[in-house]
Structures are given as structure tokens and as C-alpha cells.
Amino acid sequence: MNITRRVTEAVDFEYMKAAIDAGNGPEFVRPFDELIIPLETGKSIPAVCGGYVGDRRARFVLKDCLPELHVMNKRPTNAGGYLNSEGRRHVLEDILPLFPAWLRDAMKPRNMVETIDGEEHTYADTLWIPSATDIFGPSESGFWAEEPDSEQLEIFKTERGRVKEVEGYGTYPWWLRSPFAGDSDAFVTVYTGGTVYAYYAAYFSLGFAPGFDL
């Protein structure tokens, strides 16, 4: 039986973080467990442990989208990839400051690899939106390019596990950071039924459910 972890005291979080860093994370927090995060807005949101990447890195993704819908780019284009997107700016400059300092300080930067105009770029962010491979596994449809920085998380192996809500809108499509390989206008999204969708132009306002590593 999975347990919802409601971390409300710094000592509890520090104990969990120390266990993860020591390679004993699964003894304390496991896939589908939830970490309740108090935001600077006064609201709290749950993040779900998606699984482990290696022995000493736990990967979390918000259980639902944040209330504010946002675009991936101001124009209908995925040129520049996620690296140069408005969506990435929104995550790092608008969303990240909403997280408490003790959590921001504990986040481990995630290395990401992206090929843009034939050139490979490697960069690292502490807060990011998931890739299509994080959610669906390797692309069998050809909707997105190979993503060597990603692997499917345990919590996303069913369609139901991929569904997210936006406050005031109910179940809602949400953005992924993977450019749609078949159309220069779009990024890949998760549709309301938990299926892959790749036909929203980047200037559509959809949900954001960022993730982070501890």
C-alpha cells in the first residue's frame, strides 16, 4: 500500500533527502507517494514521486497542472526547441520562484540533451516540464525525436496516470517539452484522456505540470 507523505516540517524533508542521497530513498519514498508543497501563493500542491533515475535521484512531477495556462511560444513555432522556448522561461522565471526556498535549494539539476538545427545542446534545469519519453516511453509514432536524457516514469505507464486537471477547467491538455517532429508549429502534449497529442500549435495556452529531481 502506498502512503501519501505530507512533508510539513523541515526535519522530515531533510531526513527524506538524506535517505535519497545515501541511496536509501526507496525505503522512505516510493513511486506514487506524494510530497505536499506549500507555494508562495499560500496554496499547497502535491508532487508525485515518479520513480528513481539511478540510485540517488528521485524524480517528482506535479500531480495536476498549476492554475495558470500558458503558451510554449508566443508564435506557432517550435524553432529553438525547449531550450529557447517561452515555456522554459515561464517555468524558470514565473513558476520556480513559487516553490519554497528549502525545496529549491534541494533540487538536483536535470541534464537535458536537445538537437536544434543539427547541433546538439546539453543544459541543466532544476525545474522542467516532462519530455514525451518521460510520459510515453520511446517514440513509436515518430511524433518526437529520440531523447537520450529521458526514460518512462513508473507513474505514467497507464493512460489514467497521465491525466491532469487545471483548477477551474477540469481535466485539461498539458504541455511536454518535446518538439513535434512532424510539424514545426507544435510541441507534444498529453490529451485529456491521457493519450499523446501533437497538433496544438505552440501559441495555444495549455496546462503546465513541472517536475524536479531530489
Side-chain angles (χ1 to χ4, degrees):
M1 179 177 180
N2 290 316
I3 301 171
T4 298
R5 314 280 178 177
R6 296 184 179 272
V7 179
T8 57
E9 299 180 13
V11 66
D12 295 334
F13 180 79
E14 290 171 3
Y15 181 85
M16 181 185 75
K17 185 68 167 61
I20 294 170
D21 290 342
N24 300 318
E27 298 177 9
F28 192 87
V29 62
R30 296 169 293 277
F32 299 98
D33 286 349
E34 297 178 10
L35 172 66
I36 307 303
I37 303 170
L39 297 179
E40 296 298 325
T41 60
K43 293 186 176 182
S44 293
I45 55 171
V48 183
C49 178
Y52 284 79
V53 181
D55 296 330
R56 302 171 190 268
R57 182 179 290 253
R59 185 153 288 170
F60 289 80
V61 178
L62 295 191
K63 185 175 182 178
D64 285 307
C65 297
L66 292 161
E68 181 185 5
L69 303 177
H70 202 74
V71 302
M72 279 296 287
N73 274 320
K74 295 180 180 180
R75 298 183 296 110
T77 179
N78 58 30
Y82 180 66
L83 174 62
N84 300 299
S85 69
E86 164 62 18
R88 180 174 179 244
R89 185 215 62 78
H90 176 58
V91 168
L92 295 176
E93 296 182 14
D94 300 333
I95 297 177
L96 182 58
L98 300 178
F99 285 69
W102 53 264
L103 181 55
R104 297 198 307 268
D105 291 343
M107 292 175 179
K108 296 176 180 175
R110 176 181 178 176
N111 289 326
M112 294 180 281
V113 180
E114 193 170 11
T115 299
I116 303 170
D117 296 330
E119 182 179 351
E120 185 174 279
H121 297 264
T122 300
Y123 55 103
D125 291 344
T126 53
L127 193 69
W128 33 263
I129 55 175
S131 69
T133 304
D134 288 340
I135 308 301
F136 300 105
S139 177
E140 297 179 357
S141 61
F143 282 172
W144 61 92
E146 181 180 355
E147 296 174 314
D149 58 11
S150 305
E151 57 187 72
Q152 188 180 29
L153 298 177
E154 182 68 26
I155 60 172
F156 295 127
K157 290 186 176 179
T158 66
E159 290 182 357
R160 183 172 182 177
R162 302 169 194 148
V163 172
K164 297 193 182 298
E165 294 189 357
V166 174
E167 184 178 334
Y169 294 90
T171 303
Y172 211 80
W174 54 289
W175 285 118
L176 303 178
R177 62 179 172 85
S178 307
F180 178 33
D183 190 334
S184 62
D185 290 349
F187 287 79
V188 180
T189 61
V190 181
Y191 201 52
T192 53
T195 55
V196 62
Y197 193 76
Y199 300 101
Y200 281 115
Y203 65 174
F204 276 75
S205 291
L206 303 178
F208 274 70
F212 55 89
D213 288 350
L214 294 177

